[in-house]
């Protein structure tokens, strides 16, 4: 089949401008240094709209709040719905509204870090905007990445978006209770992920009930 692709430099998208991306990388390095200075482990969470990112962070906060001092950044286009939910689990939460932007960038995270009491933190979760395409181009300065992939997203997410998974440390294969309804077996994703990146840790979860959360914590080394 004939495939149409943009030539080098042909994409009309300021986000892909190399200068722009290198500025973001530099800011991400600064964020990392600041986090390291305060011995804060930062974990970002990436996933499609409705995959279960907020539910995952909420469950992680509930299970880890007695062990670590936790804050979360909730990236969202316009609302504070996710931030409220995570806050109710017992973490300090800052909302980052991106407006029309479909991803967080290192500058927004830098601004949020200025608002947090870094001396009183051990762990920071950064929930990205629901999107698994462009967040992959924008490192934020975090130490680890979780991608949430739910069975309701169809069988081809890993094959279609390999770059989104290449930088991940842990993948939460979520909504495993819907395996029958969706006709997708978690094994399929596990196999594809293993082929893509052997060191990637895939964990089966149901973030609504808390199933698999202990395994996610273990996979993160927390
Ligand atoms: Mg969310
Ligand atoms: Zn974007």
């Amino acid at each position: 089949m004939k495939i149409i692709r943009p030539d080098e430099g042909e994409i009309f998208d300021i986000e892909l401008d190399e200068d722009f991306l290198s500025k973001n990388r530099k800011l991400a390095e600064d964020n990392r240094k600041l986090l390291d200075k305060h011995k804060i482990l930062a974990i970002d969470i990436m996933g499609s709209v409705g995959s279960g990112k907020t539910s995952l962070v909420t469950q992680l906060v509930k299970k880890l709040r007695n062990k670590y001092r936790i804050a979360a950044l909730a990236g969202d286009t316009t609302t504070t719905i996710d931030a409220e939910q995570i806050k109710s689990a017992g973490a300090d939460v800052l909302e980052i509204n991106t407006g029309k932007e479909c991803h967080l960038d290192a500058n927004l995270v830098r601004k949020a870090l200025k608002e947090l009491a870094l001396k009183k933190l051990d762990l920071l979760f950064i929930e990205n905007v629901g999107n698994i395409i462009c967040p992959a181009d924008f490192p934020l300065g975090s130490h680890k990445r979780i991608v949430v992939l739910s069975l309701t997203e169809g069988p081809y997410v890993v094959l279609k978006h390999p770059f989104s998974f290449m930088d991940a440390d842990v993948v939460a294969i979520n909504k495993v209770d819907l395996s029958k309804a969706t006709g997708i077996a978690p094994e399929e994703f596990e196999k594809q992920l293993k082929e893509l990146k052997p060191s990637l840790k895939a964990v089966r979860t149901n973030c609504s009930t808390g199933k698999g959360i202990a395994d996610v914590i273990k996979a993160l080394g927390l």
Side-chain angles (χ1 to χ4, degrees):
M1 193 190 295
K2 187 165 183 178
I3 301 174
I4 310 293
R5 291 195 182 89
D7 290 326
E8 191 80 27
E10 207 188 27
I11 298 171
F12 293 110
D13 187 347
I14 191 162
E15 289 172 9
L16 296 174
D17 183 84
E18 193 42 51
D19 185 46
F20 190 82
L21 289 177
S22 75
K23 275 185 189 141
N24 183 78
R25 275 196 296 274
K26 172 75 181 62
L27 285 173
E29 281 167 25
D30 293 346
N31 288 345
R32 173 73 75 94
K33 277 181 203 153
L34 185 62
L35 291 161
D36 287 344
K37 189 179 144 200
H38 290 92
K39 298 191 170 63
I40 299 167
L41 179 74
I43 299 168
D44 70 65
I45 296 93
M46 200 168 115
S48 301
V49 174
S51 57
K53 297 179 295 303
T54 309
S55 302
L56 175 67
V57 176
T58 304
Q59 293 285 357
L60 288 170
V61 170
K62 278 185 194 166
K63 285 219 159 56
L64 292 168
R65 68 185 168 199
N66 293 329
K67 194 172 170 188
Y68 301 104
R69 298 168 296 176
I70 308 174
L73 307 180
D76 191 55
T77 49
T78 52
T79 76
T80 58
I81 296 167
D82 294 357
E84 305 288 350
Q85 188 187 321
I86 298 167
K87 196 171 179 188
S88 71
D92 278 340
V93 183
L94 268 181
E95 174 69 39
I96 302 177
N97 278 151
T98 57
K100 284 183 178 169
E101 284 298 328
C102 46
H103 56 267
L104 291 179
D105 59 45
N107 183 49
L108 288 168
V109 170
R110 182 181 69 102
K111 284 168 88 164
L113 290 177
K114 281 187 187 165
E115 303 294 324
L116 289 172
L118 298 178
K119 281 179 188 151
K120 295 178 184 163
L121 272 189
D122 304 309
L123 193 55
L124 177 68
F125 292 116
I126 306 173
E127 179 184 341
N128 217 312
V129 179
N131 178 358
I132 54 167
I133 301 175
C134 51
D137 286 329
F138 292 85
L140 305 174
S142 49
H143 301 86
K144 291 190 177 185
R145 169 168 293 164
I146 309 174
V147 176
V148 185
L149 163 63
S150 82
L151 297 195
T152 54
E153 294 168 52
Y156 306 119
V157 179
V158 178
L159 301 176
K160 287 184 178 181
H161 304 289
F163 297 114
S164 308
F165 294 91
M166 285 305 286
D167 288 331
D169 301 283
V170 177
V171 174
I173 301 175
N174 196 29
K175 308 189 189 182
V176 285
D177 53 312
L178 298 180
S179 181
K180 226 182 206 151
T182 56
I184 301 170
E187 289 87 347
E188 283 300 310
F189 285 147
E190 286 162 358
K191 210 176 119 210
Q192 292 165 357
L193 290 165
K194 184 130 234 136
E195 270 167 33
L196 184 71
K197 187 182 177 186
S199 65
L200 197 52
K201 292 174 183 161
V203 180
R204 297 182 193 187
T205 59
N206 178 347
C207 292
S208 300
T209 62
K211 186 186 170 196
I213 299 301
D215 296 324
V216 174
I217 290 170
K218 210 197 245 172
L220 289 168
L222 294 171

